[in-house]
Amino acid sequence: LQQIDPRSKIHPDAEAYLEWLAADHLVREAELAYSRADGPRAFNLLTEAMRSPSLGKLAKESISKRRTHWSRVVHAYDRGMRSNGGTDKDVDLAAEELRIVLKLEQDPKNLYRTRAEEQLEHLRGGREAKLRQRIQAGLSALKAHNYVSAMRSFDAVANDPVHRAGDLDRIRN
């Protein structure tokens, strides 16, 4: 295609096809960058692809939809990773954002998804450890006849969304 004489009447078609192939290559590279959790590179590549004068309306809409979808995933992921501060509310917010990532990104090999799954598991483990500490603190407070402190700890356990029925049974016994 590059060797077609510029004076040929098919030269404009050849140039348009080359531009389309270049844009397609950029989109494929963007997909690879996105799957590797390199959002900034992916978005830059999509922007570059959109500049191709040979793209029609449908191709540009496809790129735009891809950008919108990826943007939602990346922003939810970033919010989820930033907001895992330490309070139960922070952990809940982080988990909510990371669940959005899992809902939006279905590719099991996508790093945004796999990292969100790993972080959710980590958050759950931290919540469960905190729950065990609260149970133990409540039981220790009971032994020390500090009933107000025990009730606070046990209420925190009962109100924690990750508690299990066995946790409440342990408190009752």
Side-chain angles (χ1 to χ4, degrees), residues 69-80:
H69 176 77
W70 291 357
S71 180
R72 291 174 64 201
V73 170
V74 170
H75 286 97
Y77 175 82
D78 288 344
R79 286 188 307 266

Side-chain angles (χ1 to χ4, degrees), residues 25-49 51 66-67 70 74 112:
H25 177 73
L26 290 169
V27 171
R28 290 174 192 270
E29 286 293 313
E31 287 174 344
L32 187 58
Y34 169 72
S35 74
R36 292 179 177 163
D38 188 354
R41 177 167 164 64
F43 294 126
N44 287 337
L45 289 164
L46 288 180
T47 298
E48 193 176 337
R51 291 185 187 131
R66 184 174 278 121
R67 174 188 287 286
W70 291 357
V74 170
Y112 284 113

Side-chain angles (χ1 to χ4, degrees), residues 2 7 16 25 49 52 56 75 77 120 147 173:
Q2 292 174 335
R7 296 170 291 185
H25 177 73
S52 176
H75 286 97
Y77 175 82
L120 274 169
Y147 302 115
N173 298 327

Side-chain angles (χ1 to χ4, degrees), residues 8 20 26 30 42 48 51 57-58 65-66 68 77 82-84 90 100 108 114 117 119 128 139 170 172:
S8 169
W20 185 87
L26 290 169
E48 193 176 337
R51 291 185 187 131
K57 181 181 176 183
L58 291 177
K65 284 180 184 176
R66 184 174 278 121
T68 300
Y77 175 82
R82 270 197 314 261
S83 63
N84 59 7
D90 289 339
I100 289 171
T114 57
E117 289 170 334
Q119 185 65 12
E128 289 173 352
L139 294 173
R170 186 170 172 208
R172 285 185 200 110

Side-chain angles (χ1 to χ4, degrees), residues 41-124:
R41 177 167 164 64
F43 294 126
N44 287 337
L45 289 164
L46 288 180
T47 298
E48 193 176 337
M50 285 287 278
R51 291 185 187 131
S52 176
S54 67
L55 291 182
K57 181 181 176 183
L58 291 177
K60 287 186 178 186
E61 285 175 2
S62 174
I63 292 172
S64 181
K65 284 180 184 176
R66 184 174 278 121
R67 174 188 287 286
T68 300
H69 176 77
W70 291 357
S71 180
R72 291 174 64 201
V73 170
V74 170
H75 286 97
Y77 175 82
D78 288 344
R79 286 188 307 266
M81 296 303 282
R82 270 197 314 261
S83 63
N84 59 7
T87 69
D88 288 347
K89 187 175 181 179
D90 289 339
V91 172
D92 290 343
L93 177 62
E96 182 180 325
E97 293 294 338
L98 294 169
R99 281 191 289 275
I100 289 171
V101 172
L102 300 183
K103 180 180 175 190
L104 293 173
E105 183 50 61
Q106 297 298 307
D107 180 3
K109 295 179 183 175
N110 181 286
L111 279 182
Y112 284 113
R113 180 180 180 85
T114 57
R115 289 177 180 170
E117 289 170 334
E118 291 167 359
Q119 185 65 12
L120 274 169
E121 187 63 32
H122 173 74
L123 292 175
R124 181 156 185 79

